[in-house]
Amino acid sequence: MPPTVAVVGGGISGLAACYYLARGPRPPKVLLLEASARLGGWLQSTRTADGAVFEHGPRGIRPAGVVGTDTLHMVSELGLEGDVLPVPGDHPASRNRFLYTGGALHKLPSSLGGLLRPVPPFSRALLWSGVRDLLAPAGTQPDESVHAFVHRRFGQEVADIAVDSLCRGVFAGDCRVLSIRSCFPALFEAERRRRSVLLGLALGSGKERGAESGLSQRARAERWSQWSLRGGMESLAQALVAFLHPRGVELRCHAPLRRLHRHPDGRWKLTLADGTVMADHVVSALPAAALAEVLPAETEPLAQELRHIPAVSVAVVNLQYEGVVLPVTGFGHLVPSSEDASLLGIVYDSVAFPQHDGTGAASVRLTVMLGGAWFGQSFGDPVAVAPALLLQRAQVAVREQLGLEPAPTRSIVKVHQSASTASWQSSGCPSASSGPPTPASPSTTASPVPKQLSGSCWGSCAEPQCPCVPSWHTATPWQ
């Protein structure tokens, strides 16, 4: 009789864990437990009658790296290859990204020429930041904040403006408390290998690419910066559900985990609201705080680490306008915390994925990201905040920063509460891997818990480097 594996948490990480378990040569019996009424977690799309798609979580996924390659292989196996919407390297959404600072939009350099001369908002050519990295000594600390790392290697301006904005976009977090080792492991490892981040990235690590497929080969040939799906990113979760059902995976919604208990024989007893389940192994894809509350008493050191992983909330405001033209064309723009702490950035959805605009009148779709680590000071309690307040703030931002005066013809407001980020003093960080579950970190290995951690409490960034995950892990609007 095959062993039983319980996967706790039905977001993209939990579904992906089930996928890899179910497709093995001798698959175990797999049970997925999800507390809410739906599967997919942060992958949440609204499709209107005229075919418009509004993403409330990630709107695209980057194909780079092992995880990106594995994800494209999974997409192929799920039969979604014909639904992939790529953004090639020469597309304006790949080449043009902006910062809003000093009351104006500034295009980030995307060519060598832009690095050789001063480009606002930077006071000197970014080439000198690269020279600084090549000459700076390697760090000696086991970890540090993203801001401290970048300040040390590339200078204060890059840290205060560019990286501050980047971390607000990717993690909805403050780069002064985010872990460089957890959130940007490639940069951390590059410095460790070659002393210089730029040299380490240029020379590479020699790591494998992952499971190749026709899609991943096409993505490299066409230099995709990201991709989405015709039906929206939630269709990835729906395809995983359709794949798992006929393979005997039991998918339970409305099944919150109350407590984990390990029997003397090594099996696990999972206490649910309506009974108990026995399993030989447990894969957790729960948020850090939720996992901490269900662990057995003997794992209190691990529970304490999980509780110390900070969490932030993000408001995602989808807007659609008719009869307007954007002043610039690109992926979108980010806003550094020194300019406006409440506004993380605005994504120009119609530029990257015009296929999601629908069949109605010509329109422009935007997504405004609000709050993050600054949610409380800007809007108060995320549970009690009025959607009208968030909508008003988003419309003001669009009017002031993009010059779009009319009222939107459509608007949707979602608040993602307690999406994870990581301080550099803690062990975890936002994580949602669609690849095979990775080995536990040293902290979990030292704990007497033979279980797998996945999802939004451990590892690296959410979904495979998605450019808009409410950290979310699952990632916010940039990468």
Side-chain angles (χ1 to χ4, degrees):
M1 185 174 180
T4 297
V5 178
V7 178
V8 187
I12 183 59
S13 295
L15 289 170
C18 291
Y19 164 81
Y20 283 101
L21 289 166
R23 67 192 287 273
R26 292 190 299 273
K29 178 182 178 183
V30 182
L31 167 65
L32 175 67
L33 302 172
E34 164 58 34
S36 74
R38 60 177 291 274
L39 299 170
W42 298 119
L43 299 187
Q44 192 174 1
S45 312
T46 293
R47 293 177 283 272
T48 65
D50 64 356
V53 176
F54 298 90
E55 300 285 11
H56 313 305
R59 60 224 49 251
I61 292 179
R62 292 185 63 186
V66 174
V67 175
T69 301
D70 284 340
T71 303
L72 286 172
H73 184 269
M74 178 176 70
V75 166
S76 295
E77 285 202 339
L78 294 175
L80 295 174
E81 190 165 348
D83 293 331
V84 171
L85 304 176
V87 182
D90 58 357
H91 192 281
S94 299
R95 297 179 57 85
N96 302 334
R97 299 179 183 228
F98 301 85
L99 293 178
Y100 183 87
T101 181
L105 287 171
H106 302 282
K107 182 179 179 294
L108 290 171
S110 59
S111 65
L112 180 61
L115 301 176
L116 299 177
R117 63 181 185 276
V119 176
F122 305 104
S123 61
R124 65 175 189 165
L126 290 176
L127 171 68
W128 296 111
S129 296
V131 171
R132 175 182 175 128
D133 170 68
L134 294 173
L135 299 177
T140 58
Q141 297 299 315
D143 201 1
E144 60 189 309
S145 73
V146 174
H147 186 275
F149 179 90
V150 174
H151 187 182
R152 177 169 59 79
R153 299 226 56 92
F154 298 99
Q156 183 169 352
E157 240 183 13
V158 174
D160 287 351
I161 300 174
V163 171
D164 174 277
S165 302
L166 176 69
C167 287
R168 282 160 59 81
V170 177
F171 302 108
D174 187 345
C175 66
R176 293 157 186 82
V177 297
L178 288 169
S179 156
I180 185 67
R181 186 173 182 175
S182 293
C183 296
F184 296 103
L187 305 187
F188 178 84
E189 293 298 335
E191 183 194 39
R192 290 300 185 268
R193 285 195 311 272
R194 303 288 181 178
R195 182 185 56 78
S196 158
V197 172
L198 296 180
L199 278 178
L201 293 176
L203 296 176
S205 63
K207 291 183 179 179
E208 59 180 314
R209 283 176 169 172
E212 288 289 357
S213 64
L215 268 183
S216 61
Q217 293 168 3
R218 181 185 163 199
R220 279 198 303 278
E222 298 175 3
R223 297 183 300 111
W224 295 2
S225 63
Q226 60 173 307
W227 56 269
S228 184
L229 294 169
R230 195 169 303 279
M233 289 307 305
E234 190 174 357
S235 58
L236 175 58
Q238 293 165 346
L240 281 166
V241 170
F243 176 90
L244 296 172
H245 266 307
R247 287 164 177 81
V249 176
E250 185 179 354
L251 306 173
R252 292 193 200 174
C253 290
H254 303 289
L257 177 62
R258 302 299 191 203
R259 179 63 60 181
L260 274 170
H261 175 72
R262 191 158 188 230
H263 274 214
D265 65 0
R267 301 184 74 211
W268 287 92
K269 177 182 177 181
L270 292 83
T271 302
L272 310 178
D274 58 354
T276 61
V277 172
M278 297 300 298
D280 299 285
H281 191 78
V282 177
V283 177
S284 172
L286 293 175
L291 176 58
E293 297 311 310
V294 301
L295 288 174
E298 62 267 26
T299 64
E300 185 56 27
L302 172 57
Q304 288 291 346
E305 283 199 67
L306 292 169
R307 291 189 188 101
H308 287 145
I309 298 176
V312 300
S313 297
V314 181
V316 179
V317 183
N318 304 102
L319 302 171
Q320 186 173 29
Y321 293 83
E322 293 181 359
V324 300
V325 178
L326 290 171
V328 294
T329 302
F331 181 78
H333 71 258
L334 293 174
V335 183
S337 58
S338 57
E339 179 77 20
D340 184 345
S342 70
L343 176 65
L344 305 175
I346 303 177
V347 185
Y348 314 157
D349 297 310
S350 291
V351 177
F353 302 113
Q355 303 92 334
H356 288 166
D357 285 346
T359 58
S363 65
V364 170
R365 291 175 303 107
L366 305 171
T367 300
V368 182
M369 305 288 182
L370 302 170
W374 301 264
F375 199 106
Q377 71 185 51
S378 302
F379 304 109
D381 184 353
V383 176
V385 65
L389 172 64
L390 300 172
L391 176 59
Q392 180 187 38
R393 178 68 191 88
Q395 289 183 244
V396 169
V398 170
R399 183 167 61 249
E400 293 179 349
Q401 298 181 10
L402 295 175
L404 305 189
E405 295 289 346
T409 54
R410 278 197 182 112
S411 62
I412 306 172
V413 179
K414 301 278 187 180
V415 177
H416 297 284
Q417 298 173 22
S418 299
S420 293
T421 57
S423 72
W424 68 273
Q425 295 94 339
S426 72
S427 303
C429 103
S431 156
S433 168
S434 287
T438 54
S441 74
S443 295
T444 58
T445 304
S447 164
V449 189
K451 64 194 293 298
Q452 195 79 44
L453 294 182
S454 178
S456 61
C457 71
W458 219 265
S460 60
C461 184
E463 276 79 42
Q465 307 174 42
C466 54
C468 257
V469 184
S471 226
W472 275 353
H473 1 247
T474 153
T476 330
W478 208 268
Q479 196 133 358

